[in-house]
């Protein structure tokens, strides 16, 4: 019997290997090997022809004295500070309102979700038009209140905020649905018991709903932070290349793209991506450490 | 819960939120039906005199939407199919089989979810290029097949199925491949549909990878190809807006049909954290 068990275990290992083989081959090439390669490239002068000469720490030395890198880093942090709280607060609000509604809730949920199924390029097209300096709807509406037109997409002082608005608008959709599900998974009896005890809506929301929702909120904050750290699409799609505005709104990922695939300084671009990777890793670890302070798992 | 006396306030607030979401789309559609002069009128007029459906024909003929849609269809279908096969097989191993280093390997794979994708772009570019596959549709499919999210997602699904199901089949003489294919996969088909839709959505919206690996417009997906439309034809706003409608509305209509699966899939990504 013991022998048969042993045999079964051994064959099970072989069966597992067979089932895992496609994944392991793919991960080996496209993640493991690619990751090692990426680290290696960051120490080389890899350009457009795939010839890489080892240059040691040169890329990193250059990085730390590159004002454009520092600006992209600073901008990325600004995007995070602006967009993450906005997305979390607004999607929680939307989800809470949806959860309080019995009829029509499905209709509103569908409408609010639309940006999540629209491709970024189409979102870029429609917001560029709204933000148009001369003919755009937003400046026309502001004009009715006597506000001077704003160069949303070409003023270097403004572009970052315009991109943030679109980013929040686009990211809200998915997070609202995730938080709504979190709210619906909270058993109604807790809130009903509090209502019977005479608690008001605000007390219930702050003292009962939010703590019970905290695991979902933690997930939403983590995912949104990672997403916003990687902001690229709307910068690329809405701002004109090689203008002052795009330089002043550039994120780390945009700078990575610009170096690696526009300037063909792949080695240098890869070094930028390594810094981004380390920052996201650090921020995620910090978030996981601090979650103990505010996330309640039942 | 008892009848909510705040319902009118809630409906009002949700109407505002919906208006903020919908307004850009409405304005896009209205502009796409105007003449050039109407589109750039100051102050803007809301409705066109006459619906200019011709804008759609003009932009359809100017820009290779048909090719881009076909490419997108191929890339999405191949990525979804490939990803589901790879992920479901691996998920079965993690959920049902005992093997050395299983938990460690699983945690390592979960860790991959946290790594920003840009880290892999230059190496992917080099790898695909060295295989002579740049500027092909295959290049757009390959790395996407190995997205690890599905492994995690389908493992959760397999774990909800009682083990007695496969043990009964095992006693009847079924092997692992049969248990996997004939017993378990049909039982988690709704999770597989949700995963397929999520992967389709991610592939459909992917921008940077197609843009860097395929340089010619006729080999791109719609998501990346549309970036060219922004660059080239910006002066004719009404035509660009018609292009925006052509590229966003088919999926919005699909979404109305499949929204239960889409929203359930999205929601499920958050449930387990």
């Amino acid at each position: 019997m013991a022998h048969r068990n042993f045999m079964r275990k051994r064959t099970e290992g072989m069966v597992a290997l067979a089932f895992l083989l496609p994944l392991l081959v793919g991960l080996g090439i496209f993640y493991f090997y690619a990751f090692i390669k990426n680290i290696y490239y960051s120490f080389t002068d890899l350009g457009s022809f795939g010839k890489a000469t080892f240059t040691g720490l040169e890329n990193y030395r250059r990085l730390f004295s590159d004002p454009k890198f520092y600006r992209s880093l600073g901008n990325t942090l600004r995007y995070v500070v602006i967009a993450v709280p906005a997305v979390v607060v607004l999607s929680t609000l939307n989800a809470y309102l949806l959860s309080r509604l019995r009829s029509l809730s499905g209709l509103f949920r569908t409408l609010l979700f639309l940006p999540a199924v629209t491709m970024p390029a189409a979102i870029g097209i429609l917001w560029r038009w709204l933000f148009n300096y001369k003919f755009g709807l937003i400046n026309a509406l502001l004009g009715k209140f006597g506000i001077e037109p704003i160069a949303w997409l070409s003023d270097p002082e403004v572009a970052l905020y315009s991109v943030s608005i679109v980013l929040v608008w686009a990211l809200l959709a998915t997070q609202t649905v995730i938080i709504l599900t979190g709210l619906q998974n909270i058993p109604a009896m807790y809130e009903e018991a509090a209502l019977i005890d005479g608690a008001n809506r605000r007390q219930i929301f702050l003292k009962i709903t939010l703590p019970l929702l905290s695991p979902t909120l933690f997930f939403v904050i983590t995912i949104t932070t990672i997403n916003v750290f990687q902001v690229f699409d709307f910068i690329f799609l809405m701002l004109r290349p090689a203008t002052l505005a795009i330089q002043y709104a550039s994120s780390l990922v945009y700078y990575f793209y610009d170096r690696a695939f526009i300037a063909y300084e792949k080695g240098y671009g890869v070094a930028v991506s390594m810094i981004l990777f380390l920052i996201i890793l650090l921020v995620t670890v910090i978030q996981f450490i601090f979650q103990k302070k505010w996330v309640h798992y039942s | 819960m008892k009848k909510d006396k705040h319902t009118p306030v809630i409906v009002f607030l949700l109407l505002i939120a919906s208006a903020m979401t919908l307004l850009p789309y409405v304005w896009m559609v209205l502009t796409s039906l105007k003449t050039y002069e109407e589109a750039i009128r100051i102050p803007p007029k809301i409705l066109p005199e006459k619906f200019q459906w011709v804008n759609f024909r003009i932009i359809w003929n100017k820009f290779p939407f048909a090719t881009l849609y076909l490419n997108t269809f191929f890339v999405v279908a191949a990525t979804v199919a490939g990803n589901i096969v790879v992920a479901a097989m691996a998920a079965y191993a993690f959920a049902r089989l005992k093997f050395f280093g299983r938990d460690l390997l699983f945690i390592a794979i979960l860790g991959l979810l946290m790594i920003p994708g840009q880290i892999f772009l230059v190496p992917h570019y080099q790898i695909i290029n060295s295989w002579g596959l740049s500027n092909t549709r295959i290049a757009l499919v390959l790395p996407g097949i190995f997205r690890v999210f599905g492994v995690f997602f389908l493992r959760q699904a397999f774990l909800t199925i009682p083990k007695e199901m496969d043990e009964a089949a095992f006693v009847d003489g079924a092997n692992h491949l049969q248990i996997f294919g004939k017993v378990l996969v049909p039982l988690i088909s709704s999770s597989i549909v949700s995963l397929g839709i999520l992967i389709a959505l991610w592939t459909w919206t992917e921008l940077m990878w197609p843009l860097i690996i395929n340089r010619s417009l006729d080999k791109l997906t719609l998501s990346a190809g549309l970036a060219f439309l922004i660059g080239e034809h910006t002066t004719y706003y009404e035509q660009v807006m018609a292009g925006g409608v052509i590229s966003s509305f088919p999926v919005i209509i699909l979404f109305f049909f499949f929204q239960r699966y889409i929203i359930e899939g999205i929601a499920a990504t958050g449930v387990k954290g």
Side-chain angles (χ1 to χ4, degrees):
Chain A
M1 196 62 202
H3 178 69
R4 275 210 2 225
N5 255 340
F6 174 74
M7 283 304 289
R8 200 178 144 180
K9 249 184 201 154
R10 258 190 67 158
T11 51
E12 204 163 292
M14 295 307 287
V15 172
L17 184 65
F19 272 93
L20 285 167
L21 200 60
L23 180 76
L24 291 180
V25 170
L27 290 189
I29 296 170
F30 289 107
Y31 286 87
F32 187 72
Y33 170 75
F35 186 69
I36 305 288
K37 232 15 214 236
N38 206 57
I39 296 175
Y40 168 71
Y41 286 147
S42 77
F43 297 112
T44 69
D45 66 348
L46 181 68
S48 54
F49 294 109
K51 253 193 85 173
T53 315
F54 189 77
T55 54
L57 286 170
E58 181 51 34
N59 287 328
Y60 290 98
R61 214 173 287 140
R62 181 178 153 198
L63 201 72
F64 287 114
S65 57
D66 178 355
K68 285 184 179 166
F69 166 72
Y70 282 111
R71 186 153 57 208
S72 305
L73 176 63
N75 286 343
T76 305
L77 297 177
R78 274 200 264 170
Y79 283 116
V80 169
V81 170
I82 296 168
V84 173
V87 168
V88 173
V89 170
L90 290 173
S91 55
T92 306
L93 189 70
N94 279 348
Y96 180 66
L97 293 171
L98 287 174
S99 75
R100 293 271 305 270
L101 215 56
R102 257 151 305 131
S103 51
L104 288 176
S105 172
L107 175 70
F108 280 124
R109 189 186 64 177
T110 303
L111 296 181
L112 294 178
F113 192 70
L114 281 186
V117 293
T118 310
M119 57 173 63
I123 293 177
I125 284 179
L126 48 95
W127 276 94
R128 272 167 71 106
W129 178 227
L130 290 172
F131 277 140
N132 190 291
Y133 179 70
K134 257 170 128 178
F135 313 116
L137 187 64
I138 294 178
N139 276 347
L141 289 175
L142 292 178
K144 293 218 173 209
F145 298 99
I147 300 171
E148 289 292 302
I150 296 169
W152 296 98
L153 302 177
S154 52
D155 185 338
E157 301 288 317
V158 180
L160 185 142
Y161 300 98
S162 313
V163 171
S164 302
I165 290 172
V166 181
L167 191 62
V168 172
W169 182 88
L171 289 178
L172 263 184
T174 306
Q175 305 313 325
T176 300
V177 166
I178 291 177
I179 296 179
L180 179 62
T181 310
L183 284 171
Q184 286 164 340
N185 285 342
I186 297 175
M189 58 178 190
Y190 294 115
E191 295 174 10
E192 277 163 11
L195 265 182
I196 292 166
D197 288 346
N200 64 32
R201 281 279 174 203
R202 220 182 57 140
Q203 288 169 324
I204 293 176
F205 181 74
L206 291 177
K207 294 269 155 67
I208 294 172
T209 313
L210 271 189
L212 287 171
L213 190 64
S214 57
T216 307
L217 285 179
F218 175 67
F219 174 79
V220 166
I221 290 172
T222 312
I223 292 295
T224 308
T225 308
I226 292 177
N227 276 338
V228 177
F229 260 111
Q230 298 176 66
V231 55
F232 165 79
D233 292 5
F234 299 127
I235 300 172
F236 173 79
L237 292 163
M238 299 210 311
L239 308 178
R240 280 183 190 283
T243 57
L244 209 55
I246 206 164
Q247 277 185 34
Y248 274 73
S250 166
S251 65
L252 279 177
V253 173
Y254 186 81
Y255 193 51
F256 155 75
Y257 171 80
D258 180 68
R259 288 300 97 192
F261 297 107
I262 303 290
Y264 288 114
E265 297 179 317
K266 290 210 180 80
Y268 188 58
V270 162
V272 175
S273 76
M274 288 305 299
I275 300 291
L276 176 76
F277 163 64
L278 291 176
I279 293 174
I280 291 184
L281 192 69
L282 186 72
V283 170
T284 309
V285 167
I286 291 174
Q287 284 177 328
F288 268 91
I289 291 171
F290 273 96
Q291 68 157 333
K292 292 197 188 90
K293 295 223 183 288
W294 66 278
V295 180
H296 304 263
Y297 291 102
S298 48
Chain B
M1 230 177 274
K2 284 271 146 52
K3 203 168 160 51
D4 199 325
K5 64 177 193 290
H6 298 294
T7 302
V9 182
I10 293 170
V11 170
F12 177 72
L13 291 173
L14 281 171
L15 278 175
I16 294 178
S18 307
M20 299 289 277
T21 310
L22 287 186
L23 193 77
Y25 294 96
V26 173
W27 197 239
M28 172 170 75
V29 173
L30 287 175
T31 307
S32 75
L33 294 169
K34 289 176 179 173
T35 62
Y36 177 66
E37 287 72 24
E38 284 173 319
I40 62 164
R41 185 171 298 173
I42 309 170
K45 237 184 96 203
I46 295 174
L47 289 173
E49 284 291 318
K50 194 171 147 265
F51 289 160
Q52 304 292 328
W53 296 107
V54 67
N55 291 336
F56 286 87
R57 214 178 52 221
I58 295 173
I59 198 70
W60 182 271
N61 290 333
K62 263 192 191 171
F63 200 71
F65 280 107
T67 311
L68 293 172
Y69 258 115
L70 277 176
N71 291 348
T72 307
F73 183 77
F74 169 79
V75 171
V76 168
T79 309
V80 167
N83 194 291
I84 286 175
V85 171
V86 172
M89 287 175 67
Y92 177 79
F94 282 117
R96 284 298 201 260
L97 300 171
K98 287 195 186 70
F99 57 91
F100 177 73
R102 181 179 72 175
D103 296 342
L104 203 66
L105 183 62
F106 186 68
I107 290 170
I109 288 175
L110 271 187
L112 281 180
L113 285 172
M114 298 286 168
I115 299 182
Q118 295 81 19
I119 275 282
F120 305 110
L121 281 176
V122 170
H124 284 177
Y125 180 92
Q126 303 294 116
I127 293 168
I128 297 289
N129 226 356
S130 73
W131 291 351
L133 287 175
S134 63
N135 231 3
T136 65
R137 279 167 284 253
I138 301 290
L140 305 184
V141 177
L142 264 184
I145 288 180
F146 303 104
R147 253 180 208 278
V148 291
F149 173 77
V151 178
F152 164 70
F153 189 76
L154 294 184
R155 173 180 169 269
Q156 293 297 120
F158 279 134
L159 288 177
T160 62
I161 311 289
K163 265 216 162 118
E164 287 75 35
M165 299 294 285
D166 19 335
E167 262 151 31
F170 204 81
V171 170
D172 286 348
N175 61 34
H176 282 287
L177 201 60
Q178 288 164 329
I179 293 172
F180 168 73
K182 297 211 170 118
V183 181
L184 288 180
V185 165
L187 285 171
I188 60 157
S189 55
S190 80
S191 295
I192 289 180
V193 172
S194 289
L195 175 67
I197 286 173
L198 281 174
I199 300 287
L201 200 58
W202 289 333
T203 311
W204 160 257
T205 52
E206 175 72 50
L207 177 69
M208 209 197 296
W209 172 243
L211 215 55
I212 61 185
I213 194 67
N214 288 359
R215 291 289 163 117
S216 57
L217 189 53
D218 63 324
K219 292 294 192 318
L220 284 177
T221 52
L222 188 57
S223 178
L226 210 57
F228 283 75
L229 179 70
I230 295 181
E232 282 168 21
H233 307 277
T234 23
T235 33
Y236 298 102
Y237 301 106
E238 75 290 357
Q239 292 175 16
V240 175
M241 291 305 126
V245 173
I246 292 176
S247 45
S248 55
F249 272 61
V251 172
I252 290 178
I253 291 163
L254 273 183
F255 164 64
F256 279 104
F257 284 109
F258 294 103
Q259 62 163 310
R260 195 175 70 88
Y261 288 108
I262 298 177
I263 287 182
E264 271 173 16
I266 295 277
T269 62
V271 170
K272 290 292 165 195

